[in-house]
Amino acid sequence: MKNHFSVFLFSAILLFLHCNQTLSQSPTAAPAKAPAAASAPPPAATSTAQASPPVMVPVQVSKGPVNVIKILQKAGGFAVFIRLIKSTQEDIQVFSQLNDSRDGVTIFAPTDGAFSAIIKSGVLNSLSDHQKIELVQFHIIPKILTTANFQTVSNPITTLAGSGSRFALDVITTENMVNVTSGLTNTSVSAIVYTDSQLAIYQVDKVLLPLDIFAPKSLAPAPSPPKPKKDDGADTPVVPKDISGAVSCVMLNTMLISGVIIVAAAFPL
């Protein structure tokens, strides 16, 4: 009996020691999990926020001249006109006008559809470099014209191409329409592409054709033929007159006078 009690008591002591050891080791296991919790990446969240795209801010056009090419590209439908502006370097001229002058610039921009007729006919490609420059300049006015200015502007309007009858450009307003005519082209403003205090771009659906390029120039008058001379007989053959009788009379008179002189000398008084 004593042996069984001793075994039981020894087993209880071992169990108590085992439980006490387990409880004493559990606080030390908790710090082992701390590094895993500390490895949560707040820096990774910060780097993700930096990689996000910036918010687009509208460009303040009042701080400098705007880019006409970019405006037309953004509007769309002006590829041919843009190509002509670049090839003739008129974008530099417009930039200079906007940067160096307070008068501003007005542009009548023909659409790609407006150019289709003169492209298909081969007229555009047949123009010389100088004529292409004049064509682009004819669509640019070296001052700002608002829709209100169209009602009071004096015609003809002077363009960068020049003035005078060969580059005449008129703007005529009605109640709901602004008509633009060059003498060969009659079209209207179909949209406002861009406008601010220095620049106005208006869409037109036809190319403005200046008379100086597309109208046949009057040729110098041909010299008038010489007037026919009066018939004074100068060109008709001259028939010699028969003067033999007159010669005979002269000779006879001479002989008579000579005879009288001889007789008088032979018989002096």
Side-chain angles (χ1 to χ4, degrees), residues 7-242:
V7 171
F8 173 78
L9 180 61
F10 181 74
S11 298
I13 292 171
L14 290 177
L15 179 63
F16 173 78
L17 292 175
H18 177 74
C19 291
N20 188 27
Q21 184 179 3
T22 303
L23 291 175
S24 63
Q25 291 178 354
S26 59
T28 60
K33 296 182 180 180
S39 64
T46 304
S47 62
T48 305
Q50 292 176 350
S52 60
V55 178
M56 300 299 295
V57 179
V59 177
Q60 300 296 326
V61 298
S62 60
K63 293 184 178 180
V66 296
N67 191 318
V68 173
I69 299 297
K70 289 184 177 180
I71 292 174
L72 293 174
Q73 287 175 338
K74 184 176 181 180
F78 300 99
V80 179
F81 191 51
I82 291 172
R83 187 165 64 248
L84 281 174
I85 292 176
K86 287 183 175 180
S87 64
T88 58
Q89 297 185 346
E90 286 305 310
D91 54 333
I92 301 175
Q93 176 76 7
V94 171
F95 181 87
S96 176
Q97 177 71 17
L98 291 172
N99 193 41
D100 301 336
S101 172
R102 296 182 179 180
D103 295 334
V105 172
T106 301
I107 300 176
F108 292 112
T111 61
D112 292 339
F115 279 98
S116 61
I118 62 174
I119 290 177
K120 291 179 180 178
S121 62
V123 172
L124 184 61
N125 291 333
S126 67
L127 298 179
S128 65
D129 292 340
H130 179 70
Q131 288 174 328
K132 289 178 180 179
I133 292 174
E134 285 187 340
L135 179 62
V136 174
Q137 290 179 339
F138 192 61
H139 292 76
I140 303 174
I141 302 169
K143 66 178 180 180
I144 181 73
L145 290 177
T146 64
T147 52
N149 295 143
F150 285 143
Q151 300 177 359
T152 58
V153 69
S154 298
N155 290 318
I157 300 174
T158 300
T159 67
L160 286 182
S163 58
S165 59
R166 300 296 297 179
F167 290 103
L169 186 67
D170 296 336
V171 175
I172 303 171
T173 59
T174 59
E175 293 182 358
N176 300 317
M177 190 174 295
V178 178
N179 292 326
V180 186
T181 178
S182 67
L184 294 175
T185 304
N186 185 22
T187 186
S188 60
V189 174
S190 56
I192 300 175
V193 179
Y194 179 88
T195 182
D196 63 18
S197 60
Q198 281 289 99
L199 175 65
I201 303 178
Y202 301 101
Q203 174 180 311
V204 290
D205 296 330
K206 290 183 180 179
V207 179
L208 303 176
L209 305 178
L211 291 169
D212 191 67
I213 299 176
F214 296 94
K217 295 180 174 64
S218 57
L219 300 176
S224 56
K227 296 180 179 180
K229 296 181 180 180
K230 295 182 179 179
D231 188 7
D232 54 0
D235 296 334
T236 57
V238 179
V239 178
K241 296 181 180 180
D242 186 4

